[in-house]
Amino acid sequence: MTQSTLKIYCFSSPGLVIDSMPPIFFPNGGNKTMRVLLISVITENLFMTVLPLGPAYVAAAVRDVGHDVRMLSLRSGRDDYPETLKSVLEEFRPEAIGISLRNVDDQTMKDTAFLVGPVKKTVAVCKSLSPAPVVLGGAGYSIFPRSALAYTGADMGIRGEGEAAFVMLLDRLSAGKDPSDVPGLYLPGGKTENPPILPRTLDAYTMPLPHVHLEIPKDAPDDPIWMPIQTRRGCPMECSYCSTSAIEGRHLRKYSPAKVVRNIREYVDAGITHFFFVDNTFNFPASYAEELCDRIISEKLEIRSRCIVYPYKVEQRLVKKMADAGFREVSLGFESGSQTLLKEFNKRFSLEDVRRISGLYKQQGIFQMGFLMLGGPGETRETVKESLEFVDELALDLVKVSVGIRIYPHTRLAETAIREGKITSHEDLLYPAFYVKEELKDWLDESVGKWAAERGNWMV
């Protein structure tokens, strides 16, 4: 057996470094090799093909310690979905099954799509055809570990990052040991609810390789495929509505830029040229983002990239390096054009910051997408008008507008909704609930719809 020596963060107490926790053991032949099936249930219909990045990271970790891993991506709307799953279960005969719950819903208040149903169906098919334990994981699961486990009927779940925890679980299962000490493990009925762990650095994790851990679907409708890549996890910004800290923690943790660029090179060599950096805030810290760009430039990687930018502390030097490194699209996460609402959302930037930074990207010819979330606490007709006019002033290439804000547990928005009687403190919020000022709702639907209809690049 080998053991890790990573210092780790306790997920439930962000910032607390724990040195005394027992070592994490990994099997290297001492226990039985297991057949492990990892399933991604793709439920979203987005403007681009969704690739299962999270399960791919787990697959890399599981393969590294010698288990036999198979990845299966299922699109919930396909007619052959149940038969495909049945065929794989009968042929592979897995001894452990991991299922990723990526998103719980589509975050749209009107005609909300609840996305846990297809995952529940997948769990049922697996349990009817295989004796293997079914383990839930993924970003969506980590927000709702207790209620998602109960709803889907899975045997157990892992909250937080699965690379180390799932390997530990397999270690216990392969040796016939009690798994109740596995960090992040949840068992039905609240019998076990362990806090997850977060390593100080992400370099301990293997980054997924093309056609090894992350297969490119041959029937993907869009060309080119935008390959997701993650360089950082965690976010310290604590926006009032955001669930990121429940998924990744509040501490920003990084892969070394050298490791990231080596991984990008492997995808380029496999024929991939378009990359989507899915970090919550690509520009934090700016020094890291600049080093990443410098390495891409020095490697002469001919790639095209997109990312998400928090419009704060972005200077011309970084924007120029991003352009030289192949960044052609950015999403600006400003969410409102009213200073009153920015304060309510706990944003660290001003409207002038957004104007200046948007102007810098415009100078480099970089496509910009902006987001508005309307109807939240403190919203009035006047602040809505400020937001709409502000975005018009920016003259962005694409604008996405949401009326109503999805309420996630353990956020300031949830506290406000409870205080105002919109939800109760007992609601687990797995089924989507939204915050919207009732006196504005009908007016917002009509006004925003009309505003967007007059502008060809606005989506509602």
Side-chain angles (χ1 to χ4, degrees):
M1 303 288 283
T2 59
Q3 67 184 48
S4 75
T5 56
L6 288 176
K7 290 185 177 180
I8 57 176
Y9 289 108
C10 176
F11 200 99
S12 59
S13 303
L16 175 61
V17 180
I18 299 179
D19 295 306
S20 58
M21 182 168 177
I24 303 171
F25 288 94
F26 301 87
N28 62 354
N31 291 326
K32 181 174 76 74
T33 296
M34 300 184 72
R35 294 185 301 277
V36 182
L37 176 63
L38 296 177
I39 302 173
S40 173
V41 184
I42 307 296
T43 51
E44 300 91 336
N45 293 312
L46 301 177
F47 58 90
M48 58 183 285
T49 295
V50 177
L51 298 178
L53 182 63
Y57 275 105
V58 176
V62 172
R63 188 184 295 268
D64 278 353
V65 296
H67 293 299
D68 185 6
V69 187
R70 181 169 299 187
M71 287 274 292
L72 177 62
S73 291
L74 297 172
R75 293 202 168 270
S76 62
R78 290 181 60 122
D79 294 336
D80 60 353
Y81 163 25
E83 288 303 315
T84 298
L85 177 55
K86 179 181 178 182
S87 175
V88 171
L89 289 170
E90 292 177 346
E91 183 268 327
F92 186 54
R93 295 177 295 110
E95 295 163 288
I97 300 171
I99 300 178
S100 174
L101 174 54
R102 182 176 183 269
N103 284 333
V104 169
D105 59 90
D106 61 358
Q107 299 182 319
T108 302
M109 188 171 68
K110 187 176 181 180
D111 300 324
T112 309
F114 185 58
L115 305 178
V116 190
V119 175
K120 180 177 182 176
K121 177 182 176 182
T122 304
V123 170
V125 173
C126 289
K127 295 186 75 169
S128 70
L129 296 174
S130 171
V134 177
V135 186
L136 283 188
Y141 176 75
S142 293
I143 306 172
F144 306 96
R146 185 183 300 121
S147 53
L149 186 59
Y151 178 83
T152 60
D155 296 300
M156 56 190 80
I158 290 180
R159 177 184 168 214
E161 293 168 7
E163 289 97 327
F166 191 61
V167 167
M168 289 178 68
L169 177 61
L170 295 177
D171 185 24
R172 304 300 188 267
L173 295 176
S174 67
K177 296 179 180 178
D178 180 3
S180 61
D181 65 333
V182 173
L185 182 71
Y186 275 62
L187 296 177
K191 289 182 289 187
T192 299
E193 295 185 356
N194 295 337
I197 58 173
L198 301 173
R200 183 189 292 275
T201 173
L202 298 180
D203 275 347
Y205 295 152
T206 300
M207 300 190 80
L209 297 174
H211 306 300
V212 176
H213 312 112
L214 191 54
E215 189 66 43
I216 313 304
K218 297 181 176 59
D219 58 348
D222 31 331
D223 183 28
I225 291 288
W226 290 85
M227 179 60 56
I229 187 166
Q230 186 178 48
T231 70
R232 284 152 281 189
R233 297 179 189 175
C235 183
M237 305 313 292
E238 297 184 308
C239 297
S240 64
Y241 52 84
C242 187
S243 62
T244 295
S245 62
I247 303 168
E248 300 178 356
R250 294 184 176 89
H251 290 273
L252 192 62
R253 299 163 297 119
K254 308 178 287 292
Y255 287 96
S256 64
K259 183 168 185 172
V260 172
V261 173
R262 282 197 302 271
N263 190 241
I264 294 173
R265 166 62 71 186
E266 288 164 331
Y267 281 93
V268 170
D269 291 344
I272 303 297
T273 58
H274 288 61
F275 294 86
F276 180 17
F277 287 78
V278 297
D279 310 325
N280 291 290
T281 50
F282 179 81
N283 53 306
F284 283 170
S287 58
Y288 178 90
E290 287 190 22
E291 183 180 353
L292 198 58
C293 291
D294 286 340
R295 287 182 176 274
I296 292 172
I297 294 166
S298 66
E299 285 286 318
K300 296 182 171 56
L301 296 176
E302 296 295 328
I303 62 175
R304 182 185 179 102
S305 301
R306 55 167 60 138
C307 68
I308 303 165
V309 170
Y310 187 90
Y312 182 55
K313 294 188 176 181
V314 176
E315 303 301 332
Q316 185 172 16
R317 185 174 69 176
L318 172 60
V319 175
K320 177 65 165 59
K321 287 185 177 185
M322 289 177 66
D324 292 345
F327 284 85
R328 297 295 177 263
E329 302 180 21
V330 297
S331 296
L332 294 179
F334 54 84
E335 272 70 68
S336 179
S338 164
Q339 198 65 53
T340 300
L341 268 294
L342 291 183
K343 183 177 180 181
E344 184 66 43
F345 289 156
N346 197 36
K347 298 295 186 180
R348 313 296 175 90
F349 53 83
S350 67
L351 296 179
E352 186 51 43
D353 289 324
V354 180
R355 289 189 184 94
R356 181 184 64 81
I357 291 166
S358 176
L360 291 176
Y361 284 110
K362 195 166 295 185
Q363 288 172 14
Q364 294 296 329
I366 294 176
F367 181 99
Q368 297 179 67
M369 180 177 181
F371 296 88
L372 282 180
M373 298 193 308
L374 303 176
E379 194 82 88
T380 64
R381 292 192 181 205
E382 289 71 28
T383 59
V384 171
K385 183 179 179 182
E386 289 173 9
S387 288
L388 297 177
E389 291 178 348
F390 176 75
V391 177
D392 258 0
E393 173 194 338
L394 294 179
L396 302 174
D397 299 286
L398 188 62
V399 179
K400 177 70 175 72
V401 187
S402 300
V403 174
I405 306 173
R406 176 45 155 118
I407 304 172
Y408 289 106
H410 313 300
T411 61
R412 282 178 47 182
L413 181 63
E415 293 173 1
T416 300
I418 291 170
R419 190 167 58 249
E420 295 181 1
K422 293 183 179 295
I423 60 173
T424 71
S425 60
H426 304 296
E427 291 183 57
D428 60 33
L429 300 173
L430 178 67
Y431 288 97
F434 293 84
Y435 187 105
V436 66
K437 287 284 187 181
E438 290 300 326
E439 64 270 24
L440 295 178
K441 186 177 182 303
D442 293 340
W443 176 81
L444 272 170
D445 287 338
E446 180 181 352
S447 300
V448 173
K450 181 180 178 182
W451 191 281
E454 295 171 352
R455 292 154 179 80
N457 63 331
W458 284 51
M459 300 186 301
V460 180

